[in-house]
Amino acid sequence: MSTASLKVQSQSLNDRLSKRNFDRLASFIYRYSGIKMPSTKQTMLEGRLRRRIRATGLTTFDEYCDYVFDHGGLESELVHLVDAITTNKTDFFREPKHFDYLRDQALPALSRSGVSRFRTWSSACSTGAEPYTMAMVLDTYLANNRDGSYSILATDLSTDVLEKARLGIYPVEVIEPVPAEMRRKYVLQAANQSRREVRMTPYLRSKIGFGRLNLMDNRYSVGEPMHVIFCRNVLIYFDKETQGRVLHRLCECLVPGGYLFIGHSESIAGLDLPVRTVANTVFQRL
Ligand SMILES: C[S@@+](CC[C@H](N)C(=O)[O-])C[C@H]1O[C@@H](n2cnc3c(N)ncnc32)[C@H](O)[C@@H]1O
């Protein structure tokens, strides 16, 4: 590494966000994505932005913020800024009771009410583990129980994660929670075993439509109302008021009798939504 690039790196590492620039970033992030950015998250934000600043060829937070907020850089940086600030942790069969409920309660009840084409939506899908898990559960349910079909819409704010989700390639250890029978049917081993990667089958990938959608939008253009919506582990990043607005809009996208799943650490308490509770963090549209 040259002396010049070493100098650039050490400058970046010692650099801190000024209060003014932290406030500008935090307020933009909150307005655009709903994500709360209290001052306790400053070190995390700095860490994530350092990588982005290096990629732009700029060297300091001041230069970056001047470029973004004062010199028209926001439009081109928006996508990267969002990719840098979003937390994308996810797993296959995360919070597995939800998938038991979907298979054993929600889908049979919807079938009994005459639904044969299930419309479902993973509304903060991250790198795809959630919608692929939904697809495996739906596909298996229909194969075992009855004729019918399903569609899965998978959306997220971050284009980075959407790209990974579309590709459907994962390190082999990531699919450990997937039951062996489903692995055999829906997961392909890499031809070269030393790569230790797997890929969801083309069939399963074809079942999911991926797209970018900001839950902060005033309305969600998702077509016909859904039978099942997953909105898990994203509400925790929003304040209560934003959670209420998002959940009301999601309810507008559900058919009466449709199901809403939120994360186990999330709650709808005090939000006066048109739903009844049917299981822990599972709700049915009235
Ligand atoms: C922690 S992940 C949760 C993924 C998955 N739902 C799960 O439970 O495993 C949160 C996801 O929410 C997305 N996100 C954050 N703010 C968002 C917004 N305003 N609109 C849509 N997605 C958002 C992030 O990009 C991230 O992929």
Side-chain angles (χ1 to χ4, degrees):
M1 193 180 286
S2 72
T3 322
S5 64
L6 267 178
K7 190 165 159 253
V8 164
Q9 249 192 7
S10 66
Q11 266 173 348
S12 300
L13 285 172
N14 293 332
D15 190 26
R16 301 291 316 267
L17 270 169
S18 65
K19 175 158 179 1
R20 173 171 177 267
N21 280 333
F22 175 76
D23 289 347
R24 290 208 286 182
L25 283 163
S27 117
F28 170 74
I29 290 165
Y30 175 72
R31 272 184 284 114
Y32 181 71
S33 71
I35 298 172
K36 292 174 290 176
M37 198 54 71
S39 55
T40 47
K41 295 220 169 145
Q42 176 155 344
T43 308
M44 181 208 77
L45 181 61
E46 286 171 349
R48 289 177 174 197
L49 277 186
R50 268 190 197 105
R51 263 173 274 150
R52 180 62 208 149
I53 291 172
R54 275 201 288 275
T56 58
L58 298 169
T59 50
T60 65
F61 289 120
D62 283 348
E63 276 176 21
Y64 181 74
C65 291
D66 287 352
Y67 166 63
V68 168
F69 294 116
D70 302 327
H71 295 102
L74 188 56
E75 206 175 313
S76 60
E77 268 310 289
L78 184 61
V79 163
H80 302 294
L81 199 51
V82 165
D83 288 341
I85 50 127
T86 46
T87 299
N88 309 121
K89 189 199 154 8
T90 188
D91 286 310
F92 281 85
F93 284 90
R94 184 178 195 180
E95 299 176 357
K97 284 206 162 66
H98 279 161
F99 297 100
D100 294 344
Y101 189 91
L102 181 65
R103 182 196 60 215
D104 298 336
Q105 309 289 335
L107 296 177
L110 288 163
S111 296
R112 281 194 302 275
S113 73
V115 177
S116 60
R117 185 174 189 278
F118 299 99
R119 290 187 298 274
T120 70
W121 179 19
S122 164
S123 67
C125 69
S126 188
T127 46
E130 183 175 275
Y132 284 120
T133 303
M134 291 164 71
M136 289 187 278
V137 170
L138 278 150
D139 210 74
T140 305
Y141 173 80
L142 286 171
N144 292 342
N145 289 279
R146 57 186 62 239
D147 286 337
S149 63
Y150 64 94
S151 62
I152 300 181
L153 173 67
T155 61
D156 200 282
L157 181 60
S158 160
T159 49
D160 245 11
V161 294
L162 284 168
E163 199 42 48
K164 290 188 179 124
R166 257 188 214 108
L167 275 174
I169 297 176
Y170 302 97
V172 69
E173 54 283 2
V174 168
I175 55 133
E176 265 163 28
V178 179
E181 204 172 309
M182 286 186 174
R183 263 189 251 174
R184 275 194 293 279
K185 193 163 176 195
Y186 303 114
V187 183
L188 298 170
Q189 306 299 319
N192 175 353
Q193 291 284 316
S194 65
R195 293 195 57 174
R196 302 205 38 82
E197 278 177 350
V198 295
R199 188 168 199 191
M200 308 319 287
T201 57
Y203 167 74
L204 205 68
R205 282 186 273 129
S206 76
K207 291 298 198 178
I208 306 176
F210 291 99
R212 186 163 186 262
L213 185 143
N214 187 350
L215 289 168
M216 294 294 281
D217 289 348
N218 284 330
R219 54 183 298 275
Y220 307 146
S221 303
V222 294
E224 282 186 80
M226 301 286 167
H227 299 106
V228 173
I229 298 179
F230 275 58
C231 181
R232 306 188 311 159
N233 303 301
V234 61
L235 297 166
I236 32 165
Y237 300 106
F238 303 156
D239 58 23
K240 199 74 190 169
E241 203 187 316
T242 308
Q243 291 178 5
R245 282 200 304 267
V246 167
L247 286 166
H248 273 283
R249 287 194 287 261
L250 289 174
C251 286
E252 282 167 19
C253 298
L254 269 178
V255 297
Y259 294 85
L260 171 68
F261 294 75
I262 65 172
H264 282 339
S265 61
E266 296 165 336
S267 152
I268 65 160
L271 292 178
D272 196 22
L273 297 176
V275 295
R276 69 184 182 102
T277 304
V278 290
N280 184 23
T281 59
V282 186
F283 309 93
Q284 191 173 25
R285 178 79 162 88
L286 297 173

